[in-house]
Amino acid sequence: MALSIARSTALDLLERPRRLRSSAAMRDLVRETRVNLGGLIQPLFIVPGQRVRSEISSMPGVMRYSIDAAVTEARELAEVGIRAVLLFGVPDFKDAVASGNDDPDGLVQQATRAIKDALPEMLVVADLCNCEYTDHGHCGIINDRGDVENDATVELLVRTAISYAQAGVDIVAPSDMMDGRVGAIRRALDERGFEGVTIMSYAVKYASAFYGPFREAADSTPAFGDRRSYQMDSANAREALREARLDVAQGADIVMVKPALAYLDIVRAVREAVDVPVAVYNVSGEYAMLKAAVMNGWIEEERAVDEMLGGFARAGADIIISYFAKDVARRAR
Ligand code: PBG
């Protein structure tokens, strides 16, 4: 029996929010937030060699590239509208003090020159850390207590930041969580005429299980211990504001929150606490987790990715670093 609803049974409502959800055009008309496509950054892992494009097993669809292959990839990224790449060097040679990191012919330096030569408009961001260059996998120099020594590590970071600037990076992104590194890097860059080089600091970086696949990709798993004496405790929110404010006071142009999914309250709070652009890093484990569900047929990839990145925008992120950036940009075309 067909149900017929008499006019008289209609509720007497003044507000009917569903009116604004009645069609795709209506929903588009009233949409409150959108992912800023110009704010997407694609990470790229750079390895030695020629014509290397090797998939990272825990990040299906994400490759490690030799420099020539990275240039090809950067061209493809530019074609779909990606305007910034974040470089990670994954060198063969590692030692206790990350001495390969400030080599003028290091992977990041060479890749930067090659990408800027081919695509002068592409913004090159260099992740600035030591963990990919140390044989113990920690982000700095280990002292006799087995801990990362702060001030000596800052000195290394400063040397490498200068080397990256000399190679032509647009943005250095210190990801080590040492105290005082932003101010030291800013001063050193300015003294050498690199006042135009931007600093995007990993201001709020939590010690996280979600970096697992990255450490496989970058071969940077700590050989002993963990990173809890320098990366933040995931229980802390006030401390995030302290870190963000300290970095802004020391000259950070952009501050980042990392990881993303479990920390959207932090993105919102940092957005409200500082006036510089806020970036969020949708990390390797977040990528791997979603991809695994997609590969099992449990989740629809495109809708899930849009919903996830939309959540970052809604939380207040201006910039999104994601291994999905290329796909999102391609679909937006
Ligand atoms: C370097 C660095 C890490 C990531 C970005 N920079 C790894 C770590 O701190 O262990 C993680 C990125 C990701 O998981 O996608 N210190």
Side-chain angles (χ1 to χ4, degrees), residues 238-276:
R238 275 199 313 271
E239 190 185 354
L241 303 186
R242 183 181 188 207
E243 285 282 9
R245 289 193 183 107
L246 276 170
D247 281 8
V248 171
Q250 290 174 39
D253 301 289
I254 300 168
V255 292
M256 191 201 299
V257 174
K258 177 184 173 196
L261 285 177
Y263 300 90
L264 294 185
D265 57 326
I266 307 299
V267 173
R268 166 57 54 196
V270 169
R271 170 66 293 159
E272 281 164 14
V274 300
D275 295 321
V276 298

Side-chain angles (χ1 to χ4, degrees), residues 173-311:
S175 68
D176 51 285
M177 290 299 280
M178 296 302 117
D179 294 330
R181 91 278 206 214
V182 172
I185 292 165
R186 183 73 276 159
R187 263 191 307 282
L189 289 176
D190 290 359
E191 278 166 10
R192 287 161 185 81
F194 294 117
E195 63 281 334
V197 172
T198 297
I199 298 179
M200 174 167 74
S201 74
Y202 288 68
V204 183
K205 179 173 180 179
Y206 288 96
S208 171
F210 290 100
Y211 307 150
F214 173 95
R215 293 180 188 173
E216 183 214 321
D219 187 19
S220 66
T221 307
F224 57 88
D226 55 38
R227 302 208 203 290
R228 289 172 198 274
S229 82
Y230 41 105
Q231 299 180 348
M232 284 177 49
D233 183 334
S234 68
N236 295 356
R238 275 199 313 271
E239 190 185 354
L241 303 186
R242 183 181 188 207
E243 285 282 9
R245 289 193 183 107
L246 276 170
D247 281 8
V248 171
Q250 290 174 39
D253 301 289
I254 300 168
V255 292
M256 191 201 299
V257 174
K258 177 184 173 196
L261 285 177
Y263 300 90
L264 294 185
D265 57 326
I266 307 299
V267 173
R268 166 57 54 196
V270 169
R271 170 66 293 159
E272 281 164 14
V274 300
D275 295 321
V276 298
V278 174
V280 69
Y281 198 140
N282 182 205
V283 300
S284 58
E286 298 168 342
Y287 176 90
M289 176 163 87
L290 203 154
K291 262 303 201 224
V294 167
M295 289 166 79
N296 272 298
W298 295 338
I299 274 188
E300 225 181 286
E301 176 160 356
E302 295 183 358
R303 285 184 55 206
V305 168
D306 288 349
E307 191 173 330
M308 179 169 71
L309 267 61

Side-chain angles (χ1 to χ4, degrees), residues 93-111:
F93 174 76
K94 302 176 189 245
D95 64 12
V97 293
S99 42
N101 210 354
D102 69 344
D103 178 351
D105 289 318
L107 287 172
V108 170
Q109 291 85 342
Q110 284 193 55

